[in-house]
Amino acid sequence: MWFGKADALVQCMSTISDEGLSYIYIGGSQSEGHFSLTNEAYSMFSHTNPLHLDVFPSVARFEWEVVAMTSALLGSKETASGGQVCGNMTSGGTESILLAVKSSRDYMKVKKGISKPEMIISESTHSAYDKAAQYFNIKLWRVPVNKEFQADVKGIRRFINGNTILIVGSAPGFPHGIIDPIEELGELASSFGICFHVDLCLGGFVLPFARKLGYPIPPFDFSVEGVTSISADVHKYGLAPKGTSVVLYRNHEIRKHQFVAVTEWSGGLYVSPTIAGSRPGGLIAGAWAAMMSLGQEGYLENTREIMEVSKRIQKGIKDIPELYIVGRPDMTIVAFGSNDINIFEVNDIMSSKGWHLNALQKPSSIHICVTLQHVPIVEDFLRDLRESVKTVKENPGPISGGLAPVYGAAEKMPDRGTVHELLVSYMDGTC
């Protein structure tokens, strides 16, 4: 319907670009600076496809260098890594996770003969692992977190059996921004001879630099014994175009189970490294340009800014008596709830003021994911939050068009099957 309506399309795009600060990681406007650089890199290689390595060798080189730079950030140069860390670029964190789970499943089938695979994750672990379990016919166990909202190592230990192929730790977890005990989980995986994936989709381009800045960041990468794979999104804090992530493996023996090779197709011999066959070379070029442009110093300065804003937000929330912070955030996600007022009603009012926060459950809470977009407006956020809490306290009850009743009811429904059906019906009606 957009043919011949370029002006309307541009207007729509400008409207969309102004929304959702928590989902825009790059600072500044879309027409200048880093945005302009990555967009230009994308446009130069938008016609390329790394499936055809012989035709587009430059894009293959870009991917190799993005993977090499990312793995170096995440422990590949440490002696404990074994010196064989390898990987590929993907379309995002979910694909990176899907590939890591699939590779772990097939690797463990060869290594241990496991034909009825099981995977163990925490309640706070990303829903992409549920998707992987459904796609690859893996039995999934979700274990409650401990009192610090971290993965419960003892709880996970109780679910390990002869069919376990994989356990997962997050650094940090998406809901609360808290790093799981990666070293303890690594020891657990090593003792049972199973795979261990670390989800660094959020933290991959922050934690290495936060550590350099002196923040007390616990071990989280291939320097930890037992870690067999890692996912890290370049399109989040790596500030690359949307649709770029990296999946890494400790060695080639594990990664080879990611590939699909076909020998009997009449179209010829075929091999593909990721879920997609054809892939957008422009996105790979954009990611390479982002990393080369920013460099270590650029990422270090960005991390300094967002970590400082995260701490200011935490202090501001603590100064609001009606609110509490969920756990002890390690990075740039700050989750908060309330024992006095309906936190989802606060979220609705914040939404009406232009803030886009995530509604959470177990416990009822909301979170802000701090990006460079928030750096110049942190005091605006805290002011609006104080005003929203005051409004809800003085005038409790849902606002017109708000989602507080939906979130509140969904969390309390004992029949999760009904909630599942509602989610599926909602998606079926919106796409």
Side-chain angles (χ1 to χ4, degrees):
M1 75 178 178
W2 286 106
F3 289 128
K5 298 183 178 180
D7 291 342
L9 179 58
V10 170
Q11 183 178 2
C12 177
M13 290 174 66
S14 65
T15 301
I16 292 171
S17 68
D18 290 337
E19 298 176 352
L21 291 181
S22 288
Y23 309 104
I24 302 174
Y25 291 82
I26 301 172
S29 72
Q30 198 166 2
S31 61
E32 62 184 17
H34 192 80
F35 269 118
S36 179
L37 170 76
T38 57
N39 288 342
E40 182 179 0
Y42 175 85
S43 67
M44 291 174 64
F45 292 87
S46 61
H47 62 288
T48 64
N49 180 2
L51 179 65
H52 307 290
L53 299 176
D54 55 333
V55 181
F56 305 111
S58 57
V59 175
R61 178 71 180 185
F62 292 154
E63 178 173 11
W64 183 88
E65 290 189 1
V66 168
V67 171
M69 289 186 286
T70 305
S71 63
L73 285 177
L74 302 178
S76 68
K77 295 186 180 297
E78 300 293 330
T79 303
S81 74
Q84 297 184 49
V85 174
C86 53
N88 292 92
M89 290 190 67
T90 73
S91 63
T94 293
E95 186 183 359
S96 291
I97 288 165
L98 290 174
L99 289 171
V101 172
K102 186 265 184 192
S103 302
S104 299
R105 182 198 67 176
D106 294 353
Y107 172 68
M108 292 300 290
K109 184 175 182 178
V110 171
K111 182 180 178 182
K112 288 189 172 184
I114 296 175
S115 59
K116 295 182 179 180
E118 300 183 11
M119 175 171 59
I120 309 168
I121 64 176
S122 299
E123 281 185 347
S124 58
T125 306
H126 198 277
S127 53
Y129 298 90
D130 294 77
K131 183 179 285 189
Q134 292 182 36
Y135 282 6
F136 303 132
N137 195 28
I138 299 171
K139 186 172 184 178
L140 181 69
W141 298 101
R142 269 194 180 273
V143 180
V145 293
N146 62 23
K147 293 180 180 179
E148 286 75 39
F149 296 92
Q150 294 175 304
D152 184 345
V153 179
K154 291 183 179 178
I156 289 173
R157 163 66 180 83
R158 287 193 288 269
F159 280 88
I160 294 178
N161 58 47
N163 289 322
T164 303
I165 60 163
L166 176 70
I167 61 175
V168 177
S170 302
F174 170 80
H176 313 122
I178 298 171
I179 299 174
D180 286 333
I182 302 301
E183 280 190 307
E184 293 178 52
L185 290 169
E187 291 175 4
L188 183 65
S190 294
S191 67
F192 281 92
I194 58 178
C195 293
F196 173 34
H197 180 78
V198 178
D199 190 331
L200 275 156
C201 289
L202 268 169
F205 287 84
V206 174
L207 295 181
F209 302 104
R211 175 184 286 168
K212 286 185 177 181
L213 291 170
Y215 286 94
I217 305 298
F220 56 83
D221 55 21
F222 284 114
S223 64
V224 176
E225 182 182 358
V227 174
T228 52
S229 57
I230 285 175
S231 53
D233 286 358
V234 198
H235 67 201
K236 289 189 173 75
Y237 292 106
L239 307 191
K242 282 297 181 185
T244 51
S245 178
V246 170
V247 58
L248 300 170
Y249 300 92
R250 182 171 286 272
N251 54 53
H252 292 267
E253 184 182 0
I254 303 172
R255 186 180 68 152
K256 70 180 182 181
H257 295 282
Q258 173 182 292
F259 305 150
V260 171
V262 181
T263 61
E264 304 307 312
W265 179 37
S266 59
L269 300 177
Y270 176 90
V271 63
S272 174
T274 61
I275 291 175
S278 294
R279 293 186 291 155
L283 291 178
I284 294 173
W288 179 87
M291 295 183 71
M292 295 296 288
S293 170
L294 288 164
Q296 295 262 350
E297 290 304 314
Y299 284 119
L300 196 69
E301 181 56 31
N302 289 344
T303 299
R304 185 193 315 277
E305 291 186 358
I306 58 177
M307 288 294 284
E308 288 176 358
V309 168
S310 175
K311 296 304 178 185
R312 287 170 65 185
I313 288 176
Q314 290 179 53
K315 181 181 184 304
I317 292 172
K318 290 176 181 177
D319 289 340
I320 302 174
E322 294 82 7
L323 302 181
Y324 69 87
I325 293 176
V326 180
R328 299 174 62 183
D330 289 301
M331 211 182 81
T332 51
I333 286 181
V334 184
F336 51 98
S338 177
N339 294 319
D340 303 315
I341 56 177
N342 187 320
I343 196 65
F344 298 132
E345 292 177 8
V346 173
N347 191 31
D348 282 343
I349 296 177
M350 289 292 285
S351 294
S352 72
K353 294 176 180 289
W355 301 99
H356 296 263
L357 310 177
N358 272 86
L360 312 173
Q361 58 182 354
K362 300 180 179 181
S364 295
S365 51
I366 56 180
H367 84 206
I368 180 172
C369 179
V370 178
T371 73
L372 290 172
Q373 293 281 336
H374 294 109
V375 172
I377 55 174
V378 59
E379 292 305 322
D380 296 333
F381 171 80
L382 291 172
R383 182 197 64 238
D384 285 349
L385 181 59
R386 288 191 294 268
E387 291 177 358
S388 297
V389 169
K390 185 173 184 289
T391 299
V392 172
K393 186 174 182 179
E394 294 176 351
N395 301 283
I399 64 173
S400 177
L403 295 175
V406 176
Y407 285 114
E411 185 174 14
K412 294 175 182 177
M413 278 187 183
D415 184 359
R416 307 312 289 174
T418 299
V419 179
H420 178 275
E421 290 176 7
L422 288 171
L423 288 173
V424 171
S425 296
Y426 166 78
M427 183 55 62
D428 189 45
T430 55
C431 66

